């Protein structure tokens, strides 16, 4: 045969070195690489210094971008190094796996199509065996193509070995839409390879860890072992059942080989080692043609996209992944002193986090790692030895430090890059342009970003992040707990770029060619499709945050329509807070909110009219929901700053608060809101409190009233002795047999108070009068408090009086 077959392990640095060594020793006229043939035109980009691994080939159906798959490459991937060598030496390169287009065809034949050569479900399963990933959005994307589509499959222990399934498990397809799998035949099935070749070979050599066997035999060998691996694969395949998916793929590979032999005499083939015996097998061309007969091609598109080492790791679900991509990167890029240099990097990671680590630590850890390798009979210290040495000497056995080294070094946080002029959908290009203009470089690790919306660049960054969230690209996520100011002029984000965002951009390109046009079209469509009022009100706030001015009129029209048709007071009340925030803070973002005030006022009028009937004869659970809705509307009315609306709302609450038969939770809450608004004096509040706390009233009713009244803080009890004394006397008079039923309500109420408030209340109950200096922050000085009123008025945009503030 004119071809030389190099059976490799996907993402194996030892295989990568050996392939380059052999290609240099015997230069071919053409190079065939396991991968999707539709990507042949993208090979030329490998010559660009701006195409920096880790990267991935992204393939997707032109008519449905959700059907997509990735083929990842790292700098230590044998396929990547082989292609780089060929491009530098002007050797033609062809991918020769089964075309991705075949797997996306609508009318596929009944027999199984190529699927993923994925490892077993066990996290400890040896590379290259076992079940393949379940299919989701990518029908038939092969699991072991080139570095293969990244499959969300069971974790593979680092090997994806170039033997057996794992030998070329470089292919499991990772669907870009975030769907699991992406490999297989377009149905949810889990095909299997019948054997685990690496596990078999490791067991025969007396190893209980296939990954360690691979490192000792191949990675640390220092010389090619292609013939030996091919012989071992042939022996294993002779005694094992064949996977129908492999047979189809290998039939296509042999077909391409036959065509290539007619044009070239010297052919180099780089593929997963599991396929090597099949490619050397004598099979008639007509038999291969029969196996491929009847397949049609779908229309697909390909491009290069950035990838991350985190997504290359086997624990991420990528079937051909490795346990330690950062370690393999170090092995491939470090010429000598591998162990000391690794431990120096580990010391740097620890120092960056404030952990004192000296050169003496590095020296002792190096000695320990080499000693462990000698004791275990290994040719060189591997990842297990350096990890144990770092744990013992540098980390003092602390798991957090070990995890830090693992995430930063063993896995790594590297994000690849692609040239600016790389073919891509216009939407992705527009995003890249905005990222450069706003100085927002995508990164594979979490990065906190604080934005000042008073500055133009902060405002533009905020709008971009909100627009991307509309498109299903959550590059930025608001933190659960804000670290800094809670003012409306500031926003906090946590940024982290994920590879699958590339597919979501392709999916969203159907809505528009720019980020703003796509987000506008998507919000407009969502408003047309929305059935509930709450769905539309959320879109109104989205228009504000993302500054989608063209989407605002249709969303407002949809809001007006849904509000007119919705008679549920709860729905109307839940819609008002978002609208109030939009009206109140629209000026911060320079957003035109004309017309929204009329809709909001109309909703509030309908709430005021419908609330009296809604609060009658409600259950405990319904009362809690209504209490929260009333609180939300009350806060929204304060935000609006409209005196007429506020007067109408407060009047409605006043008419309800004294109604007989009103649920205690609602009666207590309305009383508190009216008191805070200055409509009830202390004497009236105490009178109303006595009613549910009198003898003969069920204790649960009184407890519900107290819960509603005190929700949100206990400072009132700290400063009102009469109210505190009344509550204390009521608690003391609760019968013992009823106290257990009241206790949960009371604990829930008082448990929501701040620690200082609970302490001050307890001290007052115990008879200890706390002075202002002793109470610290609980002390109140009216004159000092009035000093903040001018600034508070400026921030809220309206005059705040001393009485209102208190």
């Amino acid at each position: 045969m004119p071809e030389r077959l190099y059976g490799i392990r996907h993402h194996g640095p030892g295989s990568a070195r050996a392939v380059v060594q052999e290609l240099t020793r015997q230069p071919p006229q053409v190079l065939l690489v396991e991968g999707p043939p539709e990507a042949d035109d993208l090979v030329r980009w490998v010559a660009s210094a701006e195409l920096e691994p880790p990267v991935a080939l992204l393939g997707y159906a032109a008519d449905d971008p959700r059907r997509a798959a990735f083929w990842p490459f790292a700098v230590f991937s044998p396929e990547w190094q082989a292609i780089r060598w060929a491009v530098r030496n002007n050797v033609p390169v062809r991918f020769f796996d089964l075309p991705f287009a075949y797997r996306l065809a609508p009318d596929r034949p009944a027999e199984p199509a190529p699927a993923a050569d994925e490892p077993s479900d066990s996290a400890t399963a040896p590379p290259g065996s076992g079940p393949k990933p379940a299919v989701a959005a990518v029908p038939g994307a092969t699991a072991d193509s080139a570095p293969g589509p990244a499959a969300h499959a069971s974790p593979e222990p680092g090997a994806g070995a170039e033997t057996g399934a794992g030998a070329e498990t470089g292919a499991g397809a990772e669907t870009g839409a975030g769907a699991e799998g992406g490999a297989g035949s377009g149905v949810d099935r889990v095909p299997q390879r019948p054997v685990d070749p690496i596990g078999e070979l490791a067991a025969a050599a007396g190893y209980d860890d296939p990954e360690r066997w691979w490192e000792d035999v191949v990675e640390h060998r220092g010389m090619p072992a292609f013939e030996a691996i091919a012989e071992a694969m042939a022996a294993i395949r002779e005694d094992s059942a064949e996977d129908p998916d492999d047979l189809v793929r290998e039939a296509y590979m042999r077909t391409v080989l036959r065509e290539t032999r007619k044009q070239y005499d010297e052919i180099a083939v780089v593929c997963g080692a599991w396929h090597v015996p099949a490619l050397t097998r004598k099979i008639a061309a007509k038999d291969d043609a029969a196996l491929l007969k009847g397949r049609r091609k779908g229309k697909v598109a390909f491009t290069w996209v950035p990838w991350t080492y985190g997504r290359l790791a086997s624990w991420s679900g990528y079937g051909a992944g490795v346990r330690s991509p950062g370690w393999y990167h170090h092995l491939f890029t470090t010429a000598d002193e591998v162990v000391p240099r690794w431990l120096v990097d580990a010391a740097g990671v620890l120092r960056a986090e404030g952990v004192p680590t000296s050169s003496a630590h590095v020296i002792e850890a190096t000695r320990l790692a080499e000693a462990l390798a000698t004791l275990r009979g290994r040719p060189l210290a591997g990842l297990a030895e350096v990890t144990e040495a770092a744990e013992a000497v540098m980390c003092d056995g602390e798991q957090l430090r070990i995890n830090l080294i693992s995430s930063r070094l063993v896995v790594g946080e590297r994000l690849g890059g692609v040239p600016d002029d790389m073919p891509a959908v216009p939407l992705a290009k527009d995003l890249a342009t905005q990222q450069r203009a706003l100085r927002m470089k995508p990164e594979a690790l979490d990065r906190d970003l604080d934005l000042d919306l008073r500055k133009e660049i902060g405002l533009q960054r905020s709008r971009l992040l909100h627009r991307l969230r509309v498109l299903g690209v959550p590059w930025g996520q608001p933190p659960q707990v804000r670290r800094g100011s809670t003012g409306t002029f500031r926003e906090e984000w946590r940024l982290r770029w994920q590879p699958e965002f590339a597919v979501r951009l392709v999916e969203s390109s159907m809505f528009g060619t720019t980020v703003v046009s796509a987000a506008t079209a998507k919000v407009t469509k969502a408003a047309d499709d929305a059935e509930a009022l709450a769905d539309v009100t959320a879109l109104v706030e989205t228009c504000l945050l993302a500054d989608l001015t063209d989407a605002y009129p249709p969303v407002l029209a949809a809001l007006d329509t849904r509000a007119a048709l919705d008679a549920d007071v709860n729905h109307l009340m839940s819609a008002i807070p978002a609208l109030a925030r939009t009206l109140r803070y629209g000026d911060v973002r320079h957003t035109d909110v004309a017309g929204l005030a009329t809709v909001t006022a109309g909703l509030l009028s309908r709430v005021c009219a419908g609330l009296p009937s809604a609060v009658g004869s409600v259950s405990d659970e319904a009362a809690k929901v209504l209490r929260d809705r009333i609180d939300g509307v009350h806060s929204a009315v304060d935000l609006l700053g409209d005196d007429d609306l506020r007067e109408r709302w407060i009047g409605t609450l006043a008419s309800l608060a004294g109604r007989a038969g009103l649920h205690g939770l609602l009666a207590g809450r309305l009383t508190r809101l009216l008191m805070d608004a200055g409509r009830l004096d202390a004497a009236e509040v105490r009178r109303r409190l006595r009613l549910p706390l009198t003898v003969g009233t069920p204790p649960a009713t009184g407890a519900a009233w107290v819960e509603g009244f005190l929700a949100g803080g206990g400072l009132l009890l700290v400063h009102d002795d009469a109210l505190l004394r009344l509550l204390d006397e009521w608690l003391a008079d609760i019968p013992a047999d009823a106290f257990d039923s009241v206790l949960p309500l009371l604990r829930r109420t008082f448990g929501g108070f701040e620690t200082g408030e609970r302490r001050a209340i307890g001290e007052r109950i115990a008879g200890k009068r706390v002075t202002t200096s002793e109470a610290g922050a609980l002390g109140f000085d009216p004159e000092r408090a009035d000093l903040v009123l001018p600034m508070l008025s400026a921030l809220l945009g309206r005059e705040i009086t001393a009485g209102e503030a208190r």
Side-chain angles (χ1 to χ4, degrees):
M1 294 188 301
E3 65 268 9
R4 291 181 294 278
L5 303 177
Y6 302 123
I8 53 88
R9 166 195 188 178
H10 299 304
H11 315 308
S15 294
R17 287 197 191 93
V19 164
V20 173
Q21 181 179 337
E22 287 298 293
L23 292 175
T24 303
R25 187 174 66 86
Q26 293 181 292
Q29 294 174 310
V30 64
L31 174 66
L32 300 183
V33 177
E34 183 184 337
E38 298 93 338
D40 283 349
D41 292 340
L42 296 175
V43 168
R44 62 185 178 86
W45 291 95
V46 176
S48 172
E50 297 180 13
L51 186 63
E52 181 182 357
V55 291
L57 285 169
L58 165 61
Y60 57 91
D63 58 344
D64 184 5
R66 291 172 298 178
R67 304 168 69 197
F70 295 98
W71 284 257
F73 296 81
V75 69
F76 49 81
S77 301
E79 299 89 349
W80 176 263
Q81 290 299 323
I83 295 172
R84 287 286 300 270
W85 179 92
V87 170
R88 286 196 301 265
N89 291 276
N90 296 317
V91 174
V93 179
R94 289 184 60 186
F95 290 115
F96 78 124
D97 202 352
L98 187 71
F100 185 48
Y102 281 172
R103 303 158 200 157
L104 297 179
D107 53 346
R108 307 182 55 201
E111 72 266 24
D117 300 338
E118 296 306 322
S120 69
D121 286 342
S122 168
T124 59
S129 69
K132 302 166 189 174
V135 174
V138 186
T142 117
D144 58 35
S145 26
H152 286 303
S154 53
E156 164 182 334
E162 47 200 285
T163 55
E168 37 85 355
T169 39
E174 172 164 333
T175 62
E180 297 296 303
S185 64
V187 295
D188 290 328
R189 63 187 184 88
V190 183
Q192 295 188 12
R193 278 237 176 97
V195 296
D196 167 19
I198 293 297
E200 296 287 335
L201 295 174
Y207 282 73
D208 58 358
D209 184 352
E211 176 71 6
R212 178 168 296 185
W213 175 83
W214 182 264
E215 280 196 359
D216 289 350
V217 174
V218 178
E219 300 301 336
H220 297 161
R221 181 182 177 90
M223 58 181 297
F226 297 118
E227 293 184 4
I229 293 174
E231 183 179 347
M233 290 303 101
I236 292 175
R237 291 193 69 162
E238 284 179 3
D239 298 327
S240 62
E242 294 287 1
D243 187 336
D245 296 343
D246 285 339
L247 298 179
V248 176
R249 297 178 57 213
E250 290 162 355
Y252 186 87
M253 293 180 184
R254 286 190 295 267
T255 301
V256 175
L257 262 177
R258 294 187 190 100
E259 296 174 356
T260 307
R261 288 171 189 155
K262 298 175 183 178
Q263 305 175 43
Y264 300 97
D265 295 326
E266 297 290 334
I267 305 171
V269 178
V270 176
C271 65
W274 181 258
H275 296 307
V276 171
L279 298 183
T280 58
R281 193 176 300 161
K282 300 296 183 181
I283 296 180
K286 63 182 182 62
D287 294 333
D288 285 342
L291 197 57
L292 297 170
K293 184 178 179 180
R295 294 183 176 272
R296 295 181 57 187
K297 289 187 176 182
K299 188 175 181 181
V300 300
F302 270 80
T303 188
W304 288 104
V305 295
W307 202 250
T308 68
Y309 277 173
R311 294 304 296 272
L312 197 63
S314 56
W315 52 261
S316 71
Y318 171 31
V322 292
R323 279 185 296 190
S324 47
W327 168 251
Y328 278 4
H329 180 96
H330 179 77
L331 287 180
F332 186 79
T333 57
T334 304
D336 56 7
E337 302 292 345
V338 173
V339 172
R341 292 180 186 276
W342 173 266
L343 292 171
V344 166
D345 291 342
V349 169
L350 295 176
R351 290 187 192 119
E353 296 298 325
V355 179
T357 311
S358 67
S359 56
H361 286 91
V362 175
I363 294 171
E364 288 304 317
T366 301
R367 290 173 177 169
L368 179 56
E370 293 172 347
L372 288 173
T374 302
L375 288 172
R376 294 168 180 174
R378 305 196 67 185
L380 291 172
L383 179 59
E385 285 72 32
V386 296
T387 300
E388 291 174 25
E391 178 181 356
V393 178
M394 302 166 65
C395 300
D396 296 328
E398 292 189 16
Q399 190 61 42
L400 287 177
R401 299 182 187 180
I402 299 168
N403 293 343
L404 185 63
I405 293 176
S406 177
S407 63
R408 299 279 180 86
L409 291 183
V410 178
V411 175
E413 299 170 334
R414 189 177 299 269
L415 174 68
V418 298
D420 294 338
D421 53 347
M422 173 68 63
V425 294
L427 178 60
K429 286 186 170 293
D430 178 65
L431 173 58
T433 300
Q434 293 192 52
Q435 287 171 333
R436 290 193 297 272
L438 297 176
R439 301 191 296 277
M440 298 177 68
K441 181 180 179 180
E443 295 176 329
L445 66 163
D446 289 333
R447 180 168 71 89
D448 292 327
L449 180 66
D450 295 331
L451 299 179
D452 185 344
L453 302 183
R454 294 168 294 186
K455 298 180 179 178
E456 184 63 22
I457 189 170
L459 188 59
Q460 293 299 329
R461 287 174 172 176
S462 172
R463 289 170 176 171
L464 176 61
L465 292 173
H466 282 292
R467 289 168 182 171
L468 289 175
R469 286 169 63 84
V470 170
L471 298 177
V473 182
W475 178 21
Q477 295 276 16
Q480 294 182 351
V481 179
R482 298 189 64 171
R483 297 173 291 104
S485 169
T486 58
T488 58
F489 291 104
R490 307 196 71 85
E491 272 188 353
E492 294 180 6
W493 295 88
R494 175 156 293 174
L495 307 184
R496 186 184 185 94
W497 187 262
Q498 301 287 359
E500 61 267 24
F501 292 166
V503 174
R504 297 183 186 178
L505 288 172
V506 175
E507 294 173 19
S508 298
S509 63
M510 62 182 289
F511 292 105
T513 57
T514 64
V515 175
V516 63
S517 65
T520 297
K522 192 168 183 178
V523 167
T524 302
K525 184 177 185 302
D528 293 338
D529 297 341
E531 297 181 358
L533 178 62
D535 296 335
V536 185
T537 54
L539 293 176
V540 173
E541 193 166 16
T542 297
C543 289
L544 163 72
L545 298 173
D547 190 30
L548 303 177
T549 54
D550 291 340
Y552 186 70
V555 169
L556 193 61
L559 173 65
D560 205 8
T561 301
R562 301 299 185 281
L565 297 176
D566 200 329
D568 191 312
V569 173
N570 272 298
H571 292 171
L572 299 177
M573 294 174 73
S574 65
I576 290 177
L579 302 181
R581 287 193 299 269
T582 304
L583 285 169
R584 181 67 187 85
Y585 302 129
D587 58 338
V588 176
R589 294 176 170 273
H590 312 298
T591 304
D592 183 6
V593 291
L596 185 59
T598 302
V599 175
T600 306
L603 285 178
L604 184 61
S605 297
R606 294 179 59 191
V607 167
C608 291
L611 190 57
S613 60
V615 299
S617 302
V618 296
S619 64
D620 291 344
E621 290 301 319
K624 292 177 183 177
V625 174
L626 271 172
R627 187 262 319 264
D628 294 340
R629 296 277 191 265
I630 290 172
D631 281 347
V633 174
H634 190 76
S635 299
V637 171
D638 286 341
L639 281 179
L640 292 174
D642 187 310
D643 293 338
D644 292 337
L645 291 180
R646 178 179 172 79
E647 187 61 32
R648 186 185 310 167
W649 171 248
I650 294 298
T652 301
L653 298 185
S655 67
L656 295 176
R659 176 189 290 187
L662 186 64
H663 193 283
L665 184 69
L666 297 178
R669 193 62 193 152
L670 295 180
T671 300
R672 176 64 180 271
L673 295 179
L674 291 172
M675 186 192 75
D676 291 344
R679 297 303 179 90
L680 297 178
D681 57 23
E684 176 62 17
V685 171
R686 286 192 287 272
R687 185 191 71 79
R688 294 193 179 195
L689 177 58
R690 289 191 185 95
L691 297 178
L693 301 186
T694 55
V695 177
T697 304
T701 301
W705 202 99
V706 171
E707 180 184 3
F709 183 77
L710 295 179
L715 280 179
L716 184 64
L717 295 179
V718 175
H719 297 293
D720 192 323
D721 291 337
L723 194 63
L724 179 60
R725 185 167 52 254
L726 180 63
L727 186 62
D728 182 40
E729 292 171 354
W730 169 73
L731 282 172
D733 291 339
I734 295 177
D737 57 348
F739 190 78
D740 287 347
S741 63
V742 174
L743 184 59
L745 293 175
L746 297 176
R747 291 190 64 177
R748 183 168 60 216
T749 300
F750 286 91
F753 295 168
E754 295 292 336
T755 302
E757 294 174 350
R758 294 199 301 268
R759 184 178 64 248
I761 292 172
E763 290 173 345
R764 287 184 178 275
I765 292 294
K768 299 177 182 178
R769 285 306 223 181
V770 183
T771 64
T772 298
S773 59
E774 292 173 329
L778 296 176
F780 181 71
D781 185 340
E783 294 182 358
R784 293 184 63 190
D786 291 345
L787 296 177
V788 305
L789 292 180
M791 179 59 69
L792 186 61
S793 299
L795 290 174
L796 296 181
R798 64 186 182 89
E799 185 69 23
I800 305 296
T801 65
E804 184 180 4
R806 295 170 191 167

mmCIF file of all heavy atoms in Angstrom, residues 247-259:
data_model
loop_
_atom_site.group_PDB
_atom_site.id
_atom_site.type_symbol
_atom_site.label_atom_id
_atom_site.label_comp_id
_atom_site.label_asym_id
_atom_site.label_seq_id
_atom_site.Cartn_x
_atom_site.Cartn_y
_atom_site.Cartn_z
ATOM 1 N N LEU A 247 -18.418 0.545 11.049
ATOM 2 C CA LEU A 247 -18.347 -0.065 9.720
ATOM 3 C C LEU A 247 -18.707 0.936 8.633
ATOM 4 O O LEU A 247 -18.077 0.963 7.568
ATOM 5 C CB LEU A 247 -19.283 -1.281 9.657
ATOM 6 C CG LEU A 247 -18.952 -2.432 10.622
ATOM 7 C CD1 LEU A 247 -19.960 -3.563 10.471
ATOM 8 C CD2 LEU A 247 -17.530 -2.933 10.387
ATOM 9 N N VAL A 248 -19.705 1.763 8.885
ATOM 10 C CA VAL A 248 -20.103 2.767 7.891
ATOM 11 C C VAL A 248 -19.006 3.800 7.712
ATOM 12 O O VAL A 248 -18.633 4.156 6.582
ATOM 13 C CB VAL A 248 -21.423 3.434 8.313
ATOM 14 C CG1 VAL A 248 -21.793 4.544 7.326
ATOM 15 C CG2 VAL A 248 -22.531 2.404 8.388
ATOM 16 N N ARG A 249 -18.473 4.284 8.805
ATOM 17 C CA ARG A 249 -17.423 5.299 8.716
ATOM 18 C C ARG A 249 -16.188 4.751 8.026
ATOM 19 O O ARG A 249 -15.565 5.419 7.195
ATOM 20 C CB ARG A 249 -17.072 5.804 10.116
ATOM 21 C CG ARG A 249 -18.227 6.504 10.810
ATOM 22 C CD ARG A 249 -17.843 6.944 12.196
ATOM 23 N NE ARG A 249 -16.697 7.813 12.163
ATOM 24 C CZ ARG A 249 -15.767 7.879 13.107
ATOM 25 N NH1 ARG A 249 -15.863 7.083 14.158
ATOM 26 N NH2 ARG A 249 -14.768 8.708 13.007
ATOM 27 N N GLU A 250 -15.806 3.551 8.378
ATOM 28 C CA GLU A 250 -14.600 2.967 7.796
ATOM 29 C C GLU A 250 -14.789 2.625 6.330
ATOM 30 O O GLU A 250 -13.834 2.684 5.548
ATOM 31 C CB GLU A 250 -14.212 1.733 8.613
ATOM 32 C CG GLU A 250 -13.708 2.111 10.006
ATOM 33 C CD GLU A 250 -13.716 0.968 10.992
ATOM 34 O OE1 GLU A 250 -14.211 -0.121 10.641
ATOM 35 O OE2 GLU A 250 -13.225 1.170 12.126
ATOM 36 N N ALA A 251 -16.027 2.335 5.936
ATOM 37 C CA ALA A 251 -16.294 2.114 4.513
ATOM 38 C C ALA A 251 -16.045 3.397 3.732
ATOM 39 O O ALA A 251 -15.463 3.383 2.631
ATOM 40 C CB ALA A 251 -17.731 1.640 4.320
ATOM 41 N N TYR A 252 -16.469 4.516 4.285
ATOM 42 C CA TYR A 252 -16.223 5.791 3.602
ATOM 43 C C TYR A 252 -14.728 6.120 3.583
ATOM 44 O O TYR A 252 -14.209 6.608 2.566
ATOM 45 C CB TYR A 252 -16.995 6.911 4.308
ATOM 46 C CG TYR A 252 -16.904 8.229 3.569
ATOM 47 C CD1 TYR A 252 -17.802 8.536 2.554
ATOM 48 C CD2 TYR A 252 -15.903 9.156 3.865
ATOM 49 C CE1 TYR A 252 -17.707 9.731 1.859
ATOM 50 C CE2 TYR A 252 -15.803 10.355 3.179
ATOM 51 C CZ TYR A 252 -16.703 10.641 2.177
ATOM 52 O OH TYR A 252 -16.614 11.814 1.486
ATOM 53 N N MET A 253 -14.035 5.862 4.697
ATOM 54 C CA MET A 253 -12.592 6.124 4.728
ATOM 55 C C MET A 253 -11.862 5.320 3.661
ATOM 56 O O MET A 253 -10.967 5.841 2.974
ATOM 57 C CB MET A 253 -12.036 5.787 6.116
ATOM 58 C CG MET A 253 -12.504 6.681 7.244
ATOM 59 S SD MET A 253 -11.778 6.169 8.834
ATOM 60 C CE MET A 253 -12.587 7.282 9.959
ATOM 61 N N ARG A 254 -12.207 4.049 3.519
ATOM 62 C CA ARG A 254 -11.550 3.224 2.495
ATOM 63 C C ARG A 254 -11.869 3.730 1.099
ATOM 64 O O ARG A 254 -11.013 3.693 0.208
ATOM 65 C CB ARG A 254 -11.988 1.767 2.652
ATOM 66 C CG ARG A 254 -11.378 1.053 3.845
ATOM 67 C CD ARG A 254 -11.645 -0.442 3.804
ATOM 68 N NE ARG A 254 -13.060 -0.733 3.929
ATOM 69 C CZ ARG A 254 -13.688 -0.982 5.074
ATOM 70 N NH1 ARG A 254 -12.996 -0.994 6.209
ATOM 71 N NH2 ARG A 254 -14.981 -1.244 5.102
ATOM 72 N N THR A 255 -13.089 4.215 0.910
ATOM 73 C CA THR A 255 -13.460 4.768 -0.399
ATOM 74 C C THR A 255 -12.587 5.967 -0.753
ATOM 75 O O THR A 255 -12.100 6.102 -1.884
ATOM 76 C CB THR A 255 -14.940 5.172 -0.395
ATOM 77 O OG1 THR A 255 -15.748 4.022 -0.101
ATOM 78 C CG2 THR A 255 -15.360 5.731 -1.740
ATOM 79 N N VAL A 256 -12.381 6.855 0.224
ATOM 80 C CA VAL A 256 -11.525 8.020 -0.018
ATOM 81 C C VAL A 256 -10.088 7.583 -0.274
ATOM 82 O O VAL A 256 -9.396 8.133 -1.144
ATOM 83 C CB VAL A 256 -11.593 8.982 1.181
ATOM 84 C CG1 VAL A 256 -10.609 10.141 0.992
ATOM 85 C CG2 VAL A 256 -12.999 9.517 1.369
ATOM 86 N N LEU A 257 -9.629 6.575 0.452
ATOM 87 C CA LEU A 257 -8.267 6.079 0.254
ATOM 88 C C LEU A 257 -8.073 5.554 -1.159
ATOM 89 O O LEU A 257 -7.036 5.811 -1.798
ATOM 90 C CB LEU A 257 -7.967 4.975 1.271
ATOM 91 C CG LEU A 257 -7.206 5.372 2.525
ATOM 92 C CD1 LEU A 257 -7.053 4.181 3.465
ATOM 93 C CD2 LEU A 257 -5.845 5.958 2.183
ATOM 94 N N ARG A 258 -9.049 4.821 -1.678
ATOM 95 C CA ARG A 258 -8.925 4.291 -3.035
ATOM 96 C C ARG A 258 -8.810 5.411 -4.056
ATOM 97 O O ARG A 258 -8.004 5.342 -4.996
ATOM 98 C CB ARG A 258 -10.132 3.405 -3.361
ATOM 99 C CG ARG A 258 -10.214 2.126 -2.519
ATOM 100 C CD ARG A 258 -11.335 1.223 -3.023
ATOM 101 N NE ARG A 258 -11.570 0.130 -2.080
ATOM 102 C CZ ARG A 258 -12.554 0.109 -1.194
ATOM 103 N NH1 ARG A 258 -13.408 1.131 -1.134
ATOM 104 N NH2 ARG A 258 -12.702 -0.917 -0.369
ATOM 105 N N GLU A 259 -9.613 6.460 -3.862
ATOM 106 C CA GLU A 259 -9.549 7.599 -4.789
ATOM 107 C C GLU A 259 -8.210 8.320 -4.681
ATOM 108 O O GLU A 259 -7.638 8.752 -5.688
ATOM 109 C CB GLU A 259 -10.698 8.563 -4.493
ATOM 110 C CG GLU A 259 -12.081 7.965 -4.723
ATOM 111 C CD GLU A 259 -13.181 8.906 -4.286
ATOM 112 O OE1 GLU A 259 -12.847 9.978 -3.734
ATOM 113 O OE2 GLU A 259 -14.374 8.580 -4.479
#
